[in-house]
Amino acid sequence: MTLTEIIETFKTRFNSSKIMDSLEKVASFNSESDSGSGEKDSEVYLENNPYVNSSGSYVKSPGISRITRDEREPLIKLTNVWKIYQMGEVEFAALKGIDLEIYEGEFLVVLGPSGSGKSTLMNLLGCLDIPSEGTVYLNSEDISELDESELARIRGQMIGFIFQSFNLIPTLSTEENVLLPLEFQEENREAARKKASYLLDIVGLSNKKKNLPSQLSGGQRQRVAIARSLAVNPPIILADEPTGNLDTKTGDYILKFLDGLHEREGKTIIIVTHDLDLVKYATRVVYIRDGEIEKIEERRKNGTEE
Ligand SMILES: Nc1ncnc2c1ncn2[C@@H]1O[C@H](COP(=O)(O)OP(=O)(O)OP(=O)(O)O)[C@@H](O)[C@H]1O
């Protein structure tokens, strides 16, 4: 399906946030079996990080924030959240009474070993799943009170997702993948193209606009996912193991980029990882083990505990 066909088919049936939601689910399913071209990353893009080079330019927030909110309230709040998986007769508690408040401007790293409940927590923080018990608030709204399309709308406006599986639409080019959320926001087409072009430029992929996801390396796909997550300028960026499958250099680039978005753009960044190295970027670290918060550490950036 082409970009136009996808848009026209879905626009007639659903509201825009719901479409993005459905497409991302399909894309994440499709991309699991798709391991990429294996093409080596060029290092040229390392020059493009506006937060690393000295050109003085940086990512200007594209678009305007569509949310009005009380800034004293947490962006995301979890109270006594449990997630219980049912496997036949057996119940398994993956999260056991999590209380957590996340405020604007934080760089939060959720750290825990394999099986500790990170992805489960991530899905709840991103309002992609609902708790078995307890309450999740996004922008002061109890998400279990919202219907599916309201939830998709608020989530689309508030959260940019960067998932390990990249969630790119396999039949769309790099440029079209970035354009997709903008098309559904009813942006002026020319402005949307400019924005997509700018975002691809800053993630160093202007020369890959016409490539399909299968013709990109893992690191390049991750950067398309970042460009797309920034397209609608959400206040929160939620990243699941953002450097997971990447070589050190590309991983470093992506982290510095996220760090720049935090420092220069005031974005709230939430990263879920098992990689201890990432805590140096954090303003707060949540240690999770066996479905419980073990401790929470306030930090000054660059490695020191407060
Ligand atoms: N759909 C499910 N049904 C049953 N159990 C599940 C389900 N999803 C996760 N679990 C279990 O819940 C626990 C937490 O899983 P989760 O994926 O959140 O851990 P994680 O910390 O993200 O692990 P990893 O770092 O290995 O990805 C694990 O013991 C896992 O086996």
Side-chain angles (χ1 to χ4, degrees):
M1 247 184 173
T2 64
L3 179 63
T4 315
E5 283 165 354
I6 289 176
I7 292 162
E8 291 314 318
T9 309
F10 282 88
K11 257 184 181 170
T12 50
R13 299 197 201 162
F14 305 110
N15 77 39
S16 59
S17 355
K18 208 163 173 186
I19 302 166
M20 275 310 292
D21 225 38
S22 316
L23 286 174
E24 289 195 355
K25 277 179 191 145
V26 173
S28 116
F29 183 75
N30 283 335
S31 63
E32 272 164 24
S33 57
D34 185 7
S35 59
S37 66
E39 181 196 330
K40 279 257 171 290
D41 266 340
S42 111
E43 289 186 13
V44 175
Y45 73 86
L46 292 171
E47 303 293 313
N48 290 34
N49 187 339
Y51 304 123
V52 174
N53 73 18
S54 53
S55 72
S57 66
Y58 60 93
V59 188
K60 286 262 185 265
S61 298
I64 42 146
S65 179
R66 295 165 188 83
I67 298 280
T68 47
R69 49 180 306 275
D70 181 346
E71 288 176 10
R72 291 161 303 181
E73 288 296 316
L75 282 169
I76 302 173
K77 180 175 169 182
L78 273 58
T79 52
N80 191 29
V81 161
W82 289 71
K83 185 70 195 178
I84 295 163
Y85 292 114
Q86 189 84 38
M87 291 160 298
E89 300 283 286
V90 185
E91 286 190 339
F92 179 81
L95 294 178
K96 305 169 189 165
I98 301 284
D99 290 308
L100 185 61
E101 292 182 356
I102 301 171
Y103 287 88
E104 192 150 16
E106 289 205 73
F107 193 125
L108 192 85
V109 171
V110 177
L111 195 69
S114 177
S116 56
K118 298 185 298 296
S119 300
T120 306
L121 180 60
M122 177 87 175
N123 288 337
L124 289 164
L125 290 174
C127 305
L128 297 165
D129 196 3
I130 51 164
S132 312
E133 277 177 46
T135 317
V136 176
Y137 300 92
L138 174 63
N139 199 29
S140 306
E141 304 233 40
D142 177 349
I143 65 158
S144 55
E145 306 271 302
L146 302 175
D147 69 31
E148 229 184 285
S149 67
E150 282 175 324
L151 182 58
R153 181 188 49 79
I154 187 171
R155 188 172 49 216
Q157 290 173 327
M158 295 284 293
I159 306 175
F161 293 95
I162 305 173
F163 279 177
Q164 250 179 320
S165 53
F166 309 120
N167 295 9
L168 302 178
I169 313 288
T171 54
L172 299 185
S173 70
T174 299
E175 185 182 40
E176 289 169 332
N177 263 288
V178 178
L179 273 172
L180 197 56
L182 295 169
E183 296 276 356
F184 290 124
Q185 298 279 335
E186 308 289 348
E187 286 246 358
N188 165 294
R189 188 156 277 212
E190 195 40 44
R193 280 202 181 275
K194 274 196 182 142
K195 198 181 284 180
S197 174
Y198 176 67
L199 288 167
L200 283 171
D201 191 31
I202 60 171
V203 296
L205 289 175
S206 2
N207 59 342
K208 302 282 181 188
K209 278 184 191 160
K210 303 293 169 211
N211 288 48
L212 294 172
S214 60
Q215 297 163 330
L216 298 174
S217 72
Q220 290 168 339
R221 287 190 204 177
Q222 188 72 306
R223 284 181 278 136
V224 180
I226 291 180
R228 196 183 61 178
S229 77
L230 293 174
V232 295
N233 193 26
I236 306 169
I237 305 283
L238 200 53
D240 188 5
E241 299 284 8
T243 57
N245 301 318
L246 308 180
D247 64 86
T248 318
K249 221 170 211 172
T250 311
D252 200 44
Y253 175 88
I254 281 165
L255 285 172
K256 291 210 168 92
F257 196 87
L258 291 173
D259 193 42
L261 285 173
H262 174 248
E263 291 290 316
R264 306 285 291 271
E265 291 283 309
K267 301 266 181 219
T268 303
I269 310 284
I270 306 170
I271 294 184
V272 172
T273 183
H274 66 275
D275 185 355
L276 195 60
D277 251 16
L278 269 56
V279 304
K280 64 174 180 271
Y281 296 99
T283 56
R284 202 152 63 110
V285 185
V286 175
Y287 293 87
I288 177 169
R289 183 175 292 275
D290 295 332
E292 292 180 278
I293 293 180
E294 197 174 44
K295 65 171 173 168
I296 296 183
E297 202 173 82
E298 302 282 339
R299 294 183 77 85
R300 289 193 199 91
K301 276 202 159 184
N302 299 318
T304 49
E305 217 175 303
E306 290 215 321

